[in-house]
């Protein structure tokens, strides 16, 4: 992959988060500041973070964008009473368009352990180490406390598409709450909850009712103690069901009882997992295995459809670096997996198998480990944060934009660059930096044009056979 840009914030572990629309990239390192970049790596804004710099942990512990990319929640250390990788005692909401940061009130000196925006981006849930929840209404600027949601540290959580909050904690339970914070359901599990993931909804025709309505399944999975996965089909909220009996049955999960997925001991502990489709679950293990599970309904048995061990030798894990991490882009159907400083890319087949793309993989410098990884812009960019204080954005794919004139062709070679190649002559490729990301390109006898909407830029690259221009000049703009 081609390195698009690289940013550095300190000398230790870094983490990043792209806005859903791919417009902004938030990066936090050991340096006491949060930096916001655009998709080309240009600095958009910088927000200072208070307190003492730690060389072993990033200044921000959690970064969470709302669904519209208008607000970013940042959990970070301010008073510095605890120095763990997830110990945060301050919460901030940052708005990139206004370049404004709002510090949320923490009069009770809570230790924040998780944050998540609701589907509309209006409500923010802040979970604490004592098992409490704070609900922040960003429209009204109001904070509501929900005490005693769990008895121990809340470690993970996510919102359903219909606005309910699912939280997993170290008290070996998972709760489902209404938007106002009232507990609707509590599920017991066999270990500490470490990760909650929601599955995509299945195609409408596969679960369409006779009434024509398409109820949500709201199926989610929980990493339980890094040993098993707990899968539960929540269904829709109570208002979607007509009788007390049907609501009661759905609450208890009698229609779709919970499933517990167990794995071979030789795989090791579960590092992380994610959903590829509504029925396919990808699980990454600390010993380097990748396993794709087909998750059945209550009447069907779940089974393994693909097993691979792309990382033969487990890397030495440094503080702040996961033993193994995976990320999936549904649009490009590609999975990126990392262990230590090695990154490998796979294409997902229709049957759930993973086919490695060797030319897309890469390795960081010796003794550098990946701490965070994720796709952006529909699979065009793969971003990797590492424990050397840097976050690197790699160009994974590009739109197919090209044109030809005789034996010469021009094509998009980067987000803001086109290249011109003469197939008949043994000449160097001419690289032309552009003013913007183009939606069309064209090649003439001596010029190349690139544009977007109703604007176009023209660059002189010379005629065929002429010495290639080193820095093609911009000659016209319309």
């Amino acid at each position: 992959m081609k390195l698009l840009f690289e940013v550095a914030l300190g000398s230790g572990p870094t983490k990043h988060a792209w806005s859903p629309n791919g417009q902004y990239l938030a990066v936090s390192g050991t340096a006491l500041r949060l930096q916001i970049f655009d998709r080309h790596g240009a600095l958009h804004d910088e927000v200072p973070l208070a307190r003492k710099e730690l060389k072993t942990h990033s200044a921000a512990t959690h970064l969470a964008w709302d669904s519209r990319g208008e607000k970013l929640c940042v959990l970070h250390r301010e008073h510095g009473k605890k120095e763990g990788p997830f110990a945060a005692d301050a919460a901030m909401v940052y708005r990139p368009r206004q370049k404004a940061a709002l510090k949320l009130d923490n009069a009770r000196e809570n230790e924040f352990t998780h944050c998540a925006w609701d589907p509309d981006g209006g409500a923010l849930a802040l979970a604490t180490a004592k098992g409490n929840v704070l609900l922040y209404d960003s429209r009204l600027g109001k904070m509501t406390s929900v005490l005693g949601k769990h008895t121990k540290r809340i470690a993970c959580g996510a919102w359903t598409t219909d606005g309910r909050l699912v939280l997993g904690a170290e008290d070996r339970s998972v709760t489902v709450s209404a938007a106002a914070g009232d507990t609707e359901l509590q599920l017991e599990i066999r270990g500490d909850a470490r990760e909650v993931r929601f599955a995509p909804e299945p195609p409408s025709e596969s679960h369409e009712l006779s009434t024509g309505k398409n109820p949500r399944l709201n199926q989610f999975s929980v990493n339980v103690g890094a040993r098993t996965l707990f899968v539960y089909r929540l269904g829709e909220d109570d208002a979607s069901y007509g009788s007390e009996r049907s609501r009661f049955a759905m609450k208890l999960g009698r229609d779709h009882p919970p499933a517990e997925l167990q794995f071979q001991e030789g795989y090791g502990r579960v590092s992380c997992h994610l959903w590829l489709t509504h029925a396919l679950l990808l699980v990454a293990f600390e010993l380097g295995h990748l396993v794709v599970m087909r998750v059945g309904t209550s009447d069907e048995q779940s089974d393994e459809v693909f097993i691979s061990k792309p990382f033969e030798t487990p890397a030495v894990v440094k503080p702040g670096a996961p033993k193994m991490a995976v990320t999936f882009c549904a649009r490009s159907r590609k999975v990126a997996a990392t262990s230590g400083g090695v990154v490998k890319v796979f294409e997902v087949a229709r049957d759930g198998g993973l086919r490695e793309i060797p030319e897309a993989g890469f390795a960081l410098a010796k003794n550098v480990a990946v701490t965070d990884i994720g796709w952006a812009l529909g699979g065009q960019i793969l971003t990797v944060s590492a424990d050397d204080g840097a976050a690197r954005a790699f160009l994974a794919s590009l739109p197919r934009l090209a044109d030809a004139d005789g034996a010469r062709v021009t094509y998009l070679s980067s987000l803001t660059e086109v290249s011109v190649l003469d197939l008949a002559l043994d000449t160097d490729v001419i690289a032309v930096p552009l003013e913007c990301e183009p939606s069309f390109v064209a090649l003439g006898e001596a010029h190349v044009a690139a544009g977007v909407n109703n604007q176009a830029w023209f660059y002189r690259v010379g005629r065929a056979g002429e010495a290639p221009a080193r820095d093609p000049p911009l000659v016209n703009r319309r």
Side-chain angles (χ1 to χ4, degrees):
M1 289 189 184
K2 178 181 178 181
L3 181 62
L4 194 60
F5 61 85
E6 178 179 340
V7 297
L9 283 90
S11 58
T14 57
K15 64 170 60 261
H16 71 271
W18 280 94
S19 60
N21 56 11
Q23 186 174 1
Y24 300 108
L25 170 65
V27 181
S28 172
T30 57
L32 297 178
R33 59 184 183 275
L34 174 75
Q35 290 188 334
I36 309 296
F37 300 88
D38 65 17
R39 68 178 69 185
H40 309 299
L43 183 64
H44 172 76
D45 195 12
E46 184 174 273
V47 182
L49 301 177
R51 211 52 187 175
K52 177 183 177 182
E53 180 176 332
L54 299 176
K55 297 297 183 182
T56 55
H57 306 298
S58 62
T61 62
H62 294 77
L63 301 172
W65 288 94
D66 72 336
S67 58
R68 296 185 176 90
E70 297 175 351
K71 300 180 291 295
L72 171 69
C73 177
V74 182
L75 303 185
H76 62 99
R77 285 174 293 272
E78 184 173 84
H79 303 292
K81 292 183 178 180
K82 294 188 178 182
E83 298 185 354
F86 306 110
D89 54 17
M92 173 181 68
V93 173
Y94 172 78
R95 298 176 183 265
R97 292 184 181 178
Q98 295 81 8
K99 295 185 178 182
L102 173 66
K103 179 183 176 181
L104 301 184
D105 180 41
N106 188 20
R108 295 178 179 268
E109 297 185 356
N110 293 291
E111 179 187 342
F112 298 116
T113 57
H114 184 74
C115 61
W117 292 95
D118 74 348
D120 296 331
L124 171 67
L126 299 169
T128 74
K130 293 184 178 180
N132 303 323
V133 178
L134 301 180
L135 296 175
Y136 173 69
D137 189 325
S138 63
R139 299 183 179 94
L140 301 177
K142 180 182 177 182
M143 186 79 79
T144 303
S145 297
V146 182
L147 303 179
K149 180 63 64 177
H150 287 268
T151 59
K152 292 185 179 180
R153 177 181 179 269
I154 299 174
C156 52
W159 291 83
T160 66
T161 54
D162 53 10
R164 288 177 290 170
L165 179 62
V166 177
L167 295 172
E170 294 179 354
D171 60 0
R172 299 192 171 193
S173 70
V174 176
T175 56
V176 180
S177 304
D182 300 327
T183 301
E184 295 183 346
L185 175 67
Q186 184 164 347
L187 301 167
E188 301 299 323
I189 54 179
R190 298 187 182 184
D192 299 343
R194 301 196 172 195
E195 185 182 32
V196 172
R197 296 283 190 179
F198 269 92
E201 292 295 322
S204 58
E205 61 270 13
S206 67
H207 65 290
E208 192 170 283
L209 297 179
S210 58
T211 59
K213 297 181 180 179
N214 300 324
R216 299 181 182 92
L217 296 184
N218 280 324
Q219 182 168 252
F220 66 88
S221 54
V222 183
N223 180 349
V224 180
R227 295 293 184 184
T228 62
L229 293 181
F230 177 91
V231 180
Y232 187 77
R233 184 177 294 182
L234 183 61
E236 292 193 346
D237 58 8
D238 290 349
S240 302
Y241 298 91
S243 68
E244 288 292 334
R245 181 176 180 180
S246 63
R247 290 201 294 268
F248 184 69
M250 182 56 67
K251 273 193 173 184
L252 294 182
R254 291 177 180 173
D255 295 343
H256 302 284
E260 186 176 19
L261 306 183
Q262 299 181 345
F263 308 97
Q264 300 179 26
E265 292 184 2
Y267 295 160
R269 295 165 64 84
V270 175
S271 182
C272 59
H273 75 289
L274 53 80
W275 291 86
L276 301 176
T277 67
H278 70 280
L280 294 177
L281 191 62
L282 174 62
V283 189
F285 295 86
E286 293 182 352
L287 295 183
H289 293 84
L290 290 176
V291 176
V292 178
M293 297 285 297
R294 185 177 301 279
V295 180
T297 64
S298 57
D299 300 326
E300 299 173 348
Q301 185 176 1
S302 301
D303 57 346
E304 299 177 357
V305 298
F306 177 83
I307 305 171
S308 175
K309 191 177 181 183
F311 304 97
E312 292 296 335
T313 305
V316 177
V317 181
K318 299 180 181 180
K323 292 186 178 180
M324 193 171 179
V326 292
T327 180
F328 173 60
C329 177
R331 182 180 297 180
S332 64
R333 295 189 60 81
K334 289 181 180 179
V335 168
T338 178
S339 178
V342 179
V343 176
K344 296 187 177 184
V345 179
F346 304 84
E347 185 177 20
V348 181
R350 292 187 179 275
D351 61 357
L354 302 181
R355 183 183 66 84
E356 184 176 354
I357 308 173
E359 62 274 15
F362 57 90
L364 302 180
K366 187 178 180 180
N367 296 326
V368 176
V370 175
T371 55
D372 199 4
I373 187 170
W375 294 101
L377 291 175
Q380 292 185 30
I381 297 177
L382 178 65
T383 307
V384 174
S385 295
D387 63 357
D388 61 349
R392 301 168 178 87
F394 295 88
L395 189 62
S397 64
L398 284 169
R400 296 181 180 179
L401 297 182
D403 193 26
D405 179 67
R408 294 202 303 173
V409 295
T410 183
Y411 57 91
L412 190 65
S413 53
S414 190
L415 291 178
T416 56
E417 178 189 88
V418 294
S419 293
V420 180
L421 174 64
D422 195 324
L423 301 176
L425 301 175
D426 186 16
T427 57
D428 295 334
V429 175
I430 304 174
V432 183
L434 304 178
E435 304 294 320
C436 67
E437 293 184 36
S439 59
F440 62 87
V441 296
L443 180 64
E445 291 185 1
H447 298 83
V448 63
V452 59
N453 298 330
N454 61 347
Q455 290 185 306
W457 292 262
F458 298 84
Y459 302 83
R460 178 172 176 80
V461 294
R463 299 178 183 275
E466 293 182 4
R470 179 171 299 180
D471 296 309
L474 174 66
V475 296
N476 202 348
R477 174 179 176 177
R478 294 192 178 188

